Amino acid sequence: MNREEILEKTAEFAFSSCSSFDPGHDKDHLLRVKRLSLEIASSYFCDTFLVEMLAYLHDVEDDKFASHSKVDDFLSRLDIEEEIKTKILSLLPFMSFHKYPTLPGDFPIEGKIVVDADRLDALGAVGVARAFSYGGSKGRKMYGSSDSTLAHFEEKLLHLDQYLHLDASKEMAKERMDYLKSFYARFKEEIHDGN
């Protein structure tokens, strides 16, 4: 089995595993993270195969969702080098911002790339849509409570660019952050109109 075939099977597994997730964490999110990851990777010397594998698999075992898919079981069925498998399994837990907003200093470049790509997808117009989609799927109010989507903007999204690791990612984040801040300001203005 060559690497292209492994990537195809990994994509199929990841898409199936995430099929019941909210629209902000579905197949399209995985594809955007893969595209962003490869765009960032083009500025660095790295293993793009590992980058793509991590991009596809980064949400499969996310504890926000009830996926029963197990990455280690899946990888054991692939004809994949043990060293790559070990790297994937050791890096995946760090993909979660909730658990690891910052990364160990010696974290491999491939992991930093995918972490940054995932965070970039939480910014800009897509980030706004994802935030409200996820909040709605959890029954959260848009604003007016400590667990509302607006509170999520204030607690996390408006500061997310400070948690990017690579210069290429930080450059890509600038326009997305400008949009996010502009949306936030306009949204607050509109909800307070007439009050």
Side-chain angles (χ1 to χ4, degrees), residues 1-178:
M1 185 180 298
N2 63 39
R3 287 190 161 190
E4 187 175 326
E5 292 170 328
I6 291 171
L7 287 168
E8 286 177 10
K9 288 189 177 297
T10 301
E12 289 172 10
F13 166 75
F15 297 160
S16 173
S17 299
C18 298
S19 62
S20 63
F21 294 1
D22 76 283
H25 297 85
D26 61 1
K27 172 184 177 180
D28 292 328
H29 167 64
L30 299 182
L31 290 171
R32 287 192 306 273
V33 170
K34 184 195 89 166
R35 179 182 54 78
L36 288 166
S37 294
L38 292 176
E39 187 175 342
I40 298 166
S42 68
S43 297
Y44 299 95
F45 180 75
C46 62
D47 181 348
T48 56
F49 173 71
L50 178 56
V51 167
E52 283 194 68
M53 291 293 286
L54 290 170
Y56 282 131
L57 296 171
H58 79 276
D59 270 345
V60 169
E61 293 186 16
D62 191 318
D63 58 12
K64 291 193 299 290
F65 307 105
S67 170
H68 299 292
S69 299
K70 293 295 179 196
V71 173
D72 57 347
D73 292 342
F74 167 73
L75 292 176
S76 69
R77 298 192 301 270
L78 292 179
D79 180 20
I80 188 171
E81 300 99 320
E82 194 62 33
E83 181 183 356
I84 293 286
K85 176 183 173 183
T86 301
K87 280 184 182 177
I88 291 169
L89 293 175
S90 68
L91 297 178
L92 282 178
F94 292 93
M95 300 290 118
S96 168
F97 178 84
H98 175 70
K99 291 179 181 175
Y100 298 99
T102 58
L103 298 172
D106 60 347
F107 203 65
I109 186 71
E110 293 85 2
K112 289 179 180 176
I113 287 169
V114 178
V115 165
D116 280 7
D118 188 34
R119 293 174 186 185
L120 282 169
D121 199 52
L123 303 175
V126 168
V128 169
R130 288 183 66 209
F132 283 99
S133 173
Y134 181 74
S137 76
K138 296 297 182 184
R140 294 178 180 161
K141 295 177 68 174
M142 287 196 294
Y143 60 93
S145 67
S146 61
D147 70 341
S148 68
T149 300
L150 191 63
H152 180 64
F153 273 74
E154 294 163 348
E155 293 164 9
K156 177 182 175 183
L157 300 183
L158 292 170
H159 313 286
L160 199 52
D161 59 333
Q162 299 169 31
Y163 294 92
L164 297 175
H165 303 89
L166 303 169
D167 289 341
S169 311
K170 293 172 185 176
E171 189 60 35
M172 291 167 66
K174 288 178 181 176
E175 188 176 346
R176 290 170 182 249
M177 282 302 299
D178 287 345

